[in-house]
Amino acid sequence: MRCPFCAHDDTQVKDSRPTEDNASIRRRRQCSSCGARFTTFERVQLREVVVVKSGANGEQGRREPFDRSKLEQSIALASRKRGIDQERLDQLISGIQRQVETSGEAEVPSSHIGELVMEGLRQIDSVAYIRFASVYRDFSEARDFEEFASTVQQAAKE
């Protein structure tokens, strides 16, 4: 494993242990050149999945490999400063990744992944859900927020 600090190729594993949900292995590593320590995660990848982005006018756009880190970034941004336990977010991300990889499809529309994220965030935190929806559904006016927030409130009362 290459050191992220000095790019040296030789690093040693100092500690390995499974994560809380047993979905990955956490490894603490140390660079033999600069002595820096860092953490890596090893996860099972069932198959290569390609995400099909939506293009102009609802047409299919570009294709790119599924990237867990993009999913992590978008969920982290939506749930920022919400006090949501990181372990719970990791479970959501792992669950979405598992659903995408076990779907049996080689290509998955980005809209499907967005819906999975929205469903997961709806169950965890309504503010994070609304934040994600505002970007995912491209809210352009304050009225869009108001309408969506009122539907969230109505669903919570039922």
Side-chain angles (χ1 to χ4, degrees):
M1 174 69 61
R2 178 172 287 143
C3 174
F5 302 103
C6 71
H8 192 262
D9 284 336
D10 187 27
T11 60
Q12 297 175 338
V13 175
K14 294 296 184 181
D15 181 44
S16 290
R17 63 181 66 174
T19 56
E20 292 294 322
D21 62 354
N22 286 324
S24 61
I25 302 290
R26 177 183 183 270
R27 300 194 193 283
R28 287 292 294 156
R29 296 179 175 268
Q30 184 170 6
C31 177
S32 60
S33 177
C34 71
R37 288 184 174 229
F38 58 99
T39 302
T40 60
F41 290 90
E42 181 180 315
R43 291 181 176 81
V44 172
Q45 182 174 352
L46 298 173
R47 63 174 11 172
E48 282 291 324
V49 177
V50 174
V51 177
V52 181
K53 302 285 188 166
S54 51
N57 302 325
E59 297 174 12
Q60 286 188 350
R62 69 184 191 282
R63 289 167 164 69
E64 58 184 59
F66 176 80
D67 185 355
R68 180 186 169 97
S69 65
K70 286 186 175 185
L71 189 59
E72 290 170 341
Q73 289 172 345
S74 62
I75 290 174
L77 187 60
S79 59
R80 190 170 148 231
K81 295 184 180 181
R82 291 298 304 151
I84 303 169
D85 185 35
Q86 184 60 45
E87 184 178 320
R88 193 155 184 210
L89 294 177
D90 289 341
Q91 288 174 348
L92 171 64
I93 293 163
S94 293
I96 292 169
Q97 181 178 10
R98 200 172 309 113
Q99 285 180 308
V100 167
E101 290 178 346
T102 59
S103 69
E105 300 295 324
E107 293 185 345
V108 177
S110 60
S111 59
H112 177 66
I113 296 171
E115 292 299 328
L116 292 173
V117 172
M118 287 196 37
E119 179 60 28
L121 286 175
R122 185 181 64 76
Q123 295 174 11
I124 293 174
D125 185 84
S126 60
V127 174
Y129 173 54
I130 292 170
R131 284 179 179 170
F132 185 85
S134 72
V135 175
Y136 175 67
R137 295 205 173 142
D138 197 25
F139 291 178
S140 57
E141 297 178 10
R143 186 179 65 233
D144 297 336
F145 280 97
E146 291 171 4
E147 291 171 2
F148 191 75
S150 68
T151 61
V152 170
Q153 279 182 326
Q154 297 247 334
K157 289 179 183 176
E158 295 174 1

